[in-house]
Amino acid sequence: MKTLLKNCYIVSPGFREDELYDIYVVNGIIEEVGKNLEISDAKIMDIGGNTVLPGLIDMHCNICDPGFEYLENIETVSRSAARGGFTTITCEPNTDPVIDNKTVVEYIVSKSKNHSLVNIYPYGSMSIGCKGQEMAEIGEMFDAGIVGVSDGDEFTDEASFLRNVMLYVKMFDMLVITHCEDRGLSGSGVMNEGFVASCLGLAGMPREAEEVMVARNIILAENTGARLHVAHVSTKGSAQLIREAKRRGAKVTGETCPHYFLLTEEEVENYNALAKVNPPLRTKDDVEAILNGIADGSIEVIASGHSPSNEGDKNRVFTSADYGISSLETAFSLSYTGLVKTGIITFSKLVELMSTKPAEILKLENKGHIAKGKDADLIVVDLRQSYRIDPKHFASKAKFSPFADWEVRGRVIYTMVGGKLIM
């Protein structure tokens, strides 16, 4: 199949953002990028001066399949991803059954090929059952297709266990992704510990619960030589710990999500359960530190943090409401509006944070760039169009968001995966 995308502004390394290009795609691969291309037997798609980006890559996403399909499944999560401009997403291992053996990996890989509109790459659990005690069949899962090992948003309590995992995965040069939380410190907390929690009479999670584990995991990574990825960074201290580790040459990368640089704990006022996430929303100082980390390169990835929940389980008394956020369809537009339109970073830097760098970290060599020989995973965005976020229209089963009715810029109008137009 041959497709010629005409009249595109391109934001990807090697292109001037103020010049129009054409992109020629053959059988799912970018064959040529140039100006005024003429291909007689290709299907013409006139982009009309809109902007083409390499497809976004989400390093932190819960697809809930298998086991929790009532919350989300491969079909719905892939439609939601496509609408948000994500052509590749990862799968956290805390499914049911847990992704702790090659059979479950093979199930997800097979079902994704048959039922997903986008690429799905699973993470394998470090431990059997995601319980942090016995090491899972990591080597067999690697052969079956995992792109990293994760604790699946569960805490890894035993430092000795995590150290052994890091030493083992070095032979595969595989990424270790960690949710950093000391449950002994976070305890029964349901939001950030501080003034707002005190006013609401809610138990708080201190920032130390995150930072202690970030520090511990960095120390382990430095001493084992493992590649560590710190998920959903939310505090000033965590950002500084990652910054210092990178200066020392540690193989450490950090990731955050739009709700951690756009919202604060004040969003929880009036017991707003839509803002109940883990790690929790923090303070203005933390938000400023996350923004600085994004700007100076300490935080190298923006992920969606998509964690769907049943709407009824969110609309409960705050203390018993589910954690979670529906964010695949809002991550790009919120990031573009909150980071690029405000001048905090350039548009090319945003593409690096949401596509180029995730591809590099996950070792997806044919993704993250627009260039000859790369996969034709592309999105077209209209940067002139503003719109209001309406969760009722989400493709995800989780039709809720703390960003409901926010006005944003940068709508995804087309999504192409492997040369096939899917939206």
Side-chain angles (χ1 to χ4, degrees):
M1 182 178 176
K2 300 178 181 179
T3 304
L4 183 61
L5 283 67
K6 299 283 291 183
N7 303 313
C8 315
Y9 290 109
I10 295 177
V11 180
S12 186
F15 298 96
R16 289 182 57 92
E17 295 178 23
D18 59 349
E19 295 182 3
L20 288 171
Y21 297 87
D22 300 336
I23 304 172
Y24 178 39
V25 175
V26 180
N27 296 327
I29 304 297
I30 297 172
E31 178 65 25
E32 186 178 358
V33 184
K35 298 180 180 180
N36 302 312
L37 299 181
E38 297 293 338
I39 311 294
S40 60
D41 57 345
K43 176 183 176 181
I44 304 297
M45 184 176 172
D46 192 342
I47 302 304
N50 283 306
T51 304
V52 179
L53 314 176
L56 309 181
I57 299 171
D58 193 0
M59 287 190 66
H60 200 99
C61 176
N62 287 275
I63 70 169
C64 304
D65 187 347
F68 304 101
E69 290 89 346
Y70 64 97
L71 299 177
E72 198 81 281
N73 59 45
I74 284 176
E75 292 90 338
T76 58
V77 79
S78 71
R79 286 199 299 271
S80 184
R83 282 194 182 184
F86 289 98
T87 57
T88 297
I89 61 177
T90 52
C91 174
E92 291 294 319
N94 49 319
T95 51
D96 185 16
V98 168
I99 306 174
D100 61 5
N101 62 80
K102 69 175 182 179
T103 301
V104 184
V105 176
E106 289 167 350
Y107 164 84
I108 292 172
V109 170
S110 176
K111 187 171 182 179
S112 299
K113 288 180 179 178
N114 294 323
H115 297 282
S116 177
L117 297 173
V118 302
N119 308 295
I120 296 180
Y121 291 93
Y123 294 143
S125 175
M126 301 178 193
S127 61
I128 295 174
C130 263
K131 295 181 179 179
Q133 297 174 0
E134 299 177 72
M135 196 181 301
E137 301 171 356
I138 293 174
E140 292 185 357
M141 290 192 292
F142 176 76
D143 291 337
I146 64 169
V147 293
V149 292
S150 167
D151 50 17
D153 290 349
E154 296 292 336
F155 66 99
T156 306
D157 189 37
E158 292 293 335
S160 59
F161 172 78
L162 183 57
R163 180 177 182 274
N164 287 337
V165 169
M166 288 181 172
L167 288 170
Y168 183 73
V169 301
K170 273 185 63 181
M171 71 177 72
F172 308 105
D173 192 27
M174 193 163 37
L175 191 66
V176 177
I177 307 103
T178 58
H179 165 82
C180 295
E181 178 184 357
D182 184 324
R183 292 284 170 88
L185 286 170
S186 60
S188 59
V190 291
M191 66 169 294
N192 184 56
E193 181 182 84
F195 178 75
V196 177
S198 297
C199 290
L200 295 174
L202 296 173
M205 297 178 176
R207 57 174 43 83
E208 294 96 320
E210 178 178 317
E211 294 165 0
V212 164
M213 287 303 191
V214 171
R216 182 200 72 172
N217 294 354
I218 287 174
I219 290 169
L220 293 175
E222 285 189 283
N223 284 280
T224 60
R227 294 199 298 130
L228 172 68
H229 184 73
V230 181
H232 40 225
V233 174
S234 73
T235 77
K236 179 179 181 179
S238 295
Q240 182 62 23
L241 285 165
I242 293 169
R243 179 180 293 111
E244 292 170 354
K246 293 175 74 66
R247 287 173 180 165
R248 295 193 301 269
K251 300 175 183 177
V252 177
T253 51
E255 151 209 310
T256 195
C257 311
H259 40 285
Y260 295 121
F261 59 77
L262 293 175
L263 300 177
T264 69
E265 61 183 358
E266 294 175 4
E267 195 71 22
V268 179
E269 291 179 350
N270 299 317
Y271 302 96
N272 177 17
L274 296 181
K276 186 179 181 181
V277 290
N278 189 19
L281 302 177
R282 306 288 186 178
T283 68
K284 291 180 180 178
D285 284 347
D286 294 302
V287 167
E288 183 178 349
I290 298 299
L291 290 172
N292 289 336
I294 290 170
D296 70 17
S298 302
I299 295 173
E300 297 179 70
V301 173
I302 294 176
S304 77
H306 184 68
S307 183
S309 172
N310 183 286
E311 197 166 356
D313 291 330
K314 286 294 284 183
N315 294 322
R316 289 183 174 182
V317 174
F318 192 89
T319 52
S320 60
D322 276 0
Y323 293 99
I325 187 168
S326 184
S327 49
L328 279 167
E329 294 167 61
T330 60
F332 171 75
S333 55
L334 286 168
S335 298
Y336 177 75
T337 305
L339 297 175
V340 179
K341 295 299 292 181
T342 56
I344 294 172
I345 60 172
T346 64
F347 195 9
S348 59
K349 177 68 172 180
L350 180 62
V351 172
E352 178 184 321
L353 286 156
M354 299 190 77
S355 182
T356 309
K357 201 65 182 183
E360 178 184 319
I361 293 170
L362 293 172
K363 296 188 177 295
L364 304 177
E365 296 180 357
N366 291 323
K367 303 185 185 300
H369 288 275
I370 296 176
K372 181 177 180 178
K374 300 291 186 181
D375 292 343
D377 292 351
L378 307 168
I379 63 171
V380 181
V381 296
D382 184 347
L383 302 177
R384 298 160 292 193
Q385 186 177 160
S386 63
Y387 68 97
R388 291 192 179 276
I389 294 172
D390 185 355
K392 293 180 181 178
H393 294 143
F394 285 177
S396 168
K397 289 186 179 183
K399 301 182 188 301
F400 60 85
S401 172
F403 297 104
D405 210 37
W406 277 43
E407 185 170 341
V408 291
R409 294 283 292 273
R411 183 188 287 273
V412 178
I413 55 177
Y414 298 115
T415 300
M416 174 179 283
V417 179
K420 181 179 179 181
L421 193 65
I422 60 173
M423 191 200 82

